[in-house]
Amino acid sequence: MPYDVDQLLAMSRADLDDLFTKSPAGPIPNGSAKGTAIIAPDTVFSKEIAEVINFFAWQGKTFDAQRGVLTNKISVLGFNAIVAEVYTGESWFDKKECIVLDYSRTSMVAHWIRDEIRQIGPNFYLGVVYWAQKRLIDFCLEFQ
């Protein structure tokens, strides 16, 4: 079943967790992706929060699969900043394979952050953000 952003924003945290667990890691993506933060899933505020974050703070990520790195598109101007290493590894969530977005050795600003993503559809990934090994939020990435 193909998913879209609105469906993910309407899902409960338990449903997002189930989808993440059931999804394969997929290939390490390449290119630019539009990102959507999933802060308050399954609430009336989820879509509005995502839109505000997307406009003012975080628009997505740009992956270079060959080099195993990414940059985040941030600020109203969409600057590419905050670099992460990208590789496959074991998920902190369920110990299954995932794609790890690791900021620990590449960013002074976000060195305590680790993201994990899995492919939930063609050019579509669901992600989990950790702050110092504590689950923080979910997000999704749509590649053109």
Side-chain angles (χ1 to χ4, degrees):
M1 173 179 146
Y3 292 93
D4 63 30
V5 172
D6 287 336
Q7 287 174 305
L8 297 182
L9 291 170
M11 288 179 155
S12 68
R13 171 62 68 93
D15 288 339
L16 289 167
D17 290 350
D18 187 52
L19 178 58
F20 186 81
T21 296
K22 290 180 177 176
S23 298
I28 292 176
N30 194 55
S32 181
K34 179 180 185 220
T36 302
I38 306 172
I39 303 293
D42 194 26
T43 70
V44 295
F45 306 108
S46 186
K47 187 169 183 157
E48 287 77 16
I49 292 169
E51 288 172 353
V52 168
I53 289 171
N54 191 255
F55 183 77
F56 288 108
W58 178 71
Q59 290 81 41
K61 300 179 186 293
T62 302
F63 287 76
D64 183 336
Q66 191 169 23
R67 292 182 43 227
V69 296
L70 69 78
T71 55
N72 284 273
K73 294 183 277 185
I74 59 170
S75 87
V76 175
L77 302 175
F79 292 119
N80 281 311
I82 311 178
V83 176
E85 292 179 319
V86 180
Y87 53 88
T88 57
E90 184 179 278
S91 171
W92 289 350
F93 184 75
D94 61 9
K95 308 296 183 207
K96 296 178 184 176
E97 183 180 59
C98 69
I99 299 169
V100 177
L101 316 180
D102 184 354
Y103 298 87
S104 65
R105 295 187 298 257
T106 57
S107 175
M108 294 288 289
V109 175
H111 69 274
W112 56 87
I113 301 292
R114 170 184 162 124
D115 301 338
E116 298 177 354
I117 61 173
R118 289 194 176 132
Q119 189 173 30
I120 61 170
N123 302 314
F124 200 37
Y125 288 76
L126 176 61
V128 179
V129 178
Y130 296 91
W131 177 307
Q133 296 191 5
K134 182 178 176 171
R135 169 96 177 266
L136 194 58
I137 64 167
D138 298 293
F139 67 97
C140 62
L141 297 170
E142 299 173 279
F143 290 83
Q144 281 68 39

